[in-house]
Amino acid sequence: MDTNNHPGYSQSDLAGVPLTGMSPLSPYLNVDPRYLVQETEEFILPTGANKTRGRFELAFFTIGGCCITGAAFGAFNGLRLGLKETQNMVWSKPKNVQILNMVTRQGAMWANTLGSLALLYSAFGVIIEKSRGAEDDLNTVASGTMTGMLYKSTAGLRGIARGGLAGLALTSVYALYNNWEHIKGSSTQLSL
């Protein structure tokens, strides 16, 4: 069989298709490669819109990510607890059921806890950003502190203080980590 003759396709059907090293598979490959090169932005943004995501758009990712992380952590914790509680049992269906119950219960509990914290954190972050009109690390630390305070508000004043301090500490560490290069660059300029 002649390699230049391909049944079902004429040479005019395949004109303009670069076929170096490959045989024609379909008449739909007749595309001008100039159309595949993008020289402009991929997304069309409204006039005046910035190219970065704001706190509101990131809130969905934060809440979902925390729920999934909590479910995964809870499942592993439930597996650990289930195996620990059933270590004296013979491997059977009741043991399997008890382990699965622990995995499900712990996964749901941790997903709910972390999802609730992320929802509170994101809501406070959006509210603070809209009220201040600025997006900076002060919003992050304030929303983390308020989240801890509200989450532990049922434990009395001591619980509110502990929750606020935990939120303040965690978000302060995150803010320092996020700006470490900037802080490190500033300290080297001061020492010169």
Side-chain angles (χ1 to χ4, degrees):
M1 183 173 171
D2 187 13
T3 57
N4 291 337
N5 262 339
H6 298 284
Y9 303 113
S10 69
Q11 290 297 330
S12 62
D13 288 340
L14 299 172
V17 178
L19 297 174
T20 53
M22 58 185 252
S23 63
L25 302 174
S26 167
Y28 301 109
L29 292 176
N30 191 11
V31 176
D32 189 0
R34 290 178 290 171
Y35 292 124
L36 301 176
V37 178
Q38 279 189 322
E39 297 171 0
T40 60
E41 294 292 327
E42 188 174 348
F43 302 106
I44 300 172
L45 297 171
T47 306
N50 57 358
K51 294 182 182 181
T52 60
R53 293 183 179 172
R55 257 201 197 274
F56 187 69
E57 287 105 355
L58 292 175
F60 297 104
F61 169 76
T62 304
I63 296 166
C66 283
C67 283
I68 291 172
T69 303
F73 178 77
F76 284 123
N77 190 37
L79 181 63
R80 182 187 63 83
L81 291 174
L83 289 173
K84 184 178 176 183
E85 281 187 12
T86 61
Q87 67 184 355
N88 295 331
M89 292 176 69
V90 179
W91 200 264
S92 61
K93 284 187 179 183
K95 182 176 181 171
N96 291 347
V97 168
Q98 193 165 356
I99 291 172
L100 285 174
N101 285 343
M102 288 297 289
V103 167
T104 305
R105 195 176 308 131
Q106 287 288 313
M109 182 190 72
W110 278 96
N112 188 17
T113 301
L114 288 182
S116 299
L117 285 171
L119 177 67
L120 290 173
Y121 171 76
S122 297
F124 281 131
V126 169
I127 291 169
I128 292 170
E129 178 189 3
K130 297 299 179 193
S131 63
R132 285 187 64 225
E135 172 53 42
D136 55 8
D137 290 324
L138 182 62
N139 295 357
T140 301
V141 173
S143 61
T145 304
M146 292 172 68
T147 298
M149 291 172 68
L150 184 63
Y151 189 75
K152 286 297 188 177
S153 65
T154 58
L157 290 177
R158 266 199 175 146
I160 292 172
R162 285 186 193 142
L165 285 174
L168 176 70
L170 288 172
T171 52
S172 295
V173 167
Y174 173 74
L176 284 173
Y177 172 76
N178 225 12
N179 295 315
W180 186 250
E181 292 299 320
H182 178 68
I183 293 169
K184 197 167 109 179
S186 299
S187 64
T188 56
Q189 289 177 355
L190 290 176
S191 65
L192 294 176

